[in-house]
Amino acid sequence: MKTLALLGMQWGDEGKGKVIDHLAAQYDITVRFQGGGNAGHTVVVDGRKHVLHHIPSSILHEGKTALIADGTVLDVDTLFEEIGELRKAGIEVTGRLLIGFGTHIVMPYHKELDAASEESGGQKIGTTKRGIGPCYADRKARLGIRYMDLFDGKALSERLSKSLAEKNCLFKHLYGKPAVDHAAMLKICEAWASKIKGFGVDTHSFLIKAISESRTVLFEGAQGAMLDTDWGTYPFVTSSTTTASAIPQGCGIPMKSVDHVMGVVKAYSTRVGSGPFPTEDTGEIGELLRKRGGEYGATTGRPRRCGWLDAVAGKYAVTVNGADSLAITKLDVLSGIGDLKVCVSYGFDGCFPDPRNPREPKPSYKTFKGWKKDISGAEKVSDLPAECRTYVDAIEGLFGARVSLISVGPDRRQVFEKG
Ligand code: GDP
Ligand code: IMO
Ligand code: MG
């Protein structure tokens, strides 16, 4: 497979960073194509933990190219914090980190608007407050500031004037906050421009050329299918397309550029923020999964809501994405928990409620025998207890895609091919 896409099949935090790091050794280029600093992708190598928000999770592999493509939204300060953390670990990004010219920049007022909207009462989405929604809104409203605009003083000033006229109305009249100063924003952009100028690339030409020269490309999704703006649990979603169709759009390449789509599935379910979560367990099991799985947000530190695996949402995610195979993560977390449950029906056809369905899914479960053995040292399928293999086979059947990878711990080495 020359080009492989890896996408979350649940509500994010499936372990995409871990799997990308595992696969990255075989790929020349890794691309982030949507989302922004809301993502928190964890990679653990020799006990050292790295959390990546913008930079593709392949960056720990020497000599590999990492591209932040135009479909993303970029918080320049967070990016430089990430670069700083990597440098502390002896990893240099210069010369192999690229940023698409059309990547939109998350401005300070996007973050303020995100926070103000969340705090203004009414329906709370529980966003990461990274300015994602307001930045994508400006992108579509044609008020956004792109990477390339940082280097064009006149265009930048005009775009800012138009955008701030609107934003300052909101700050003054809706949120009762001070106005954003045009000159101050220009100054911030100038400082960012000088820091970031060496990283720019024409994403479309770069990837078309790379693929035509048979260079291998890995596409790293952020968030998960159920957080997709259009196909997730709207309005409790993020503001980007988190499914495979975001790849051609975010990179300026044809749909047929992706040879294989691999979905990442955590062996149980988690969600951060508000919104439907049919299998959520607010009792003992939820608490146990949170504790054993270390289920706290990699970006915000918030405790994640936890529950049993949801094969209805999973099958839907596989179908929406056209997933060819699956990587199962965190299987080790289920060792010693006792019997395991998997949701196999909501009590109506389809996935999330549409006007023809009752509003509330009523999950019914299939029970699987658990296993006691610690599997974190497993290196092949035959090292897994029979009950665990049955659980993996059931995921294949219920989700409707074969399992190709199994992860049994956070470390780079704790993963193997199912075969
Ligand atoms: P991502 O956003 O999809 O990359 O996932 P996160 O990094 O936000 O959350 C996944 C968490 O689980 C991280 O702390 C990983 O280090 C950890 N992790 C990944 N795979 C495994 C696994 O197989 N077993 C265990 N125990 N932890 C894992
Ligand atoms: P990774 O890539 C889990 C959730 C937020 C909130 C909703 C909207 O690490 O899997 P936003 O800030 O995007 O406007 O928030 O989406 N969310 C995530 N949940 N993992 C993520 O990314 C997420 N990115 C956003 O918690 O419910
Ligand atoms: Mg995450």
Side-chain angles (χ1 to χ4, degrees), residues 168-245:
N168 282 338
C169 242
L170 288 175
F171 282 127
K172 184 172 172 197
H173 298 292
L174 186 62
Y175 298 126
K177 304 238 180 227
V180 177
D181 182 50
H182 181 271
M185 288 303 114
L186 269 182
K187 218 167 150 199
I188 288 175
C189 288
E190 262 170 40
W192 282 344
S194 65
K195 277 173 96 172
I196 213 173
K197 66 173 179 287
F199 294 100
V201 73
D202 171 352
T203 294
H204 158 78
S205 306
F206 175 78
L207 284 178
I208 292 287
K209 184 166 181 283
I211 293 169
S212 75
E213 288 171 351
S214 289
R215 294 181 77 199
T216 47
V217 187
L218 196 51
F219 296 96
E220 175 175 354
Q223 291 81 52
M226 305 316 289
L227 291 172
D228 184 276
T229 308
D230 300 304
W231 302 104
T233 55
Y234 191 86
F236 301 100
V237 292
T238 190
S239 298
S240 70
T241 296
T242 60
T243 45
S245 57

Side-chain angles (χ1 to χ4, degrees), residues 68 73 86 97 105 125 146 149 174 198 203 216-217 229 280 283 342 345:
I68 299 172
V73 292
L86 287 169
L97 176 66
I105 303 296
I125 306 294
R146 298 164 301 173
D149 299 323
L174 186 62
T203 294
T216 47
V217 187
T229 308
E280 179 171 18
V342 177
S345 165

